[in-house]
């Protein structure tokens, strides 16, 4: 029973303490590094994965001029994904 309560508490604390991001609170990676395209503020992706993605996306931009941004966060609250992404990328000047 104690183990069940501990697991339940840990699970609930993830939801209670998870940051809900807004368009203005998601860090824009390109502001810190002109060759960065992945915003991963919650550390969901491994550092190596982010580095590999940034290399591929930087290469894509230099070869084709296309820009791609990747955002990985735990929560955007009750926002709908597509409108949130559209507003975010307009805010960042992508597309």
């Amino acid at each position: 029973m104690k183990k069940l309560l501990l697991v339940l508490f840990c699970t609930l604390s993830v939801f209670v303490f998870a940051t809900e991001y807004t368009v203005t609170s998601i860090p824009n990676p390109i502001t810190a590094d002109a060759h960065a395209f992945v915003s991963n503020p919650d550390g969901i992706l491994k550092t190596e994965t982010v580095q590999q993605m940034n290399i591929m996306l930087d290469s894509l931009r230099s070869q084709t001029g296309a820009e791609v941004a990747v955002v990985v966060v735990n929560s955007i609250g009750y926002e709908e994904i597509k409108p949130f992404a559209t507003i975010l990328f307009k805010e960042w000047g992508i597309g």
Side-chain angles (χ1 to χ4, degrees):
M1 184 66 174
K2 287 183 182 179
K3 286 183 183 178
L4 177 61
L5 289 175
L6 179 61
V7 170
L8 182 59
F9 175 74
C10 291
T11 304
L12 287 175
S13 64
V14 168
F15 293 109
V16 171
F17 298 112
T19 302
E20 286 186 6
Y21 290 92
T22 64
V23 168
T24 57
S25 68
I26 293 178
N28 184 343
I30 208 157
T31 59
D33 179 353
H35 302 282
F37 304 91
V38 180
S39 184
N40 181 39
D42 295 323
I44 296 168
L45 301 174
K46 292 180 181 178
T47 303
E48 299 82 22
T49 303
V50 172
Q51 290 171 342
Q52 290 173 346
M53 292 175 76
N54 281 328
I55 290 168
M56 289 188 310
L57 295 173
D58 190 39
S59 176
L60 177 69
R61 182 180 64 177
S62 66
Q63 292 175 11
T64 67
E67 287 185 331
V68 176
V70 177
V71 176
V72 184
V73 294
N74 281 320
S75 177
I76 58 170
Y78 294 103
E79 298 290 331
E80 294 288 325
I81 293 172
K82 186 169 174 143
F84 186 93
T86 302
I87 295 166
L88 176 68
F89 296 151
K90 283 182 183 177
E91 177 82 18
W92 287 2
I94 301 205

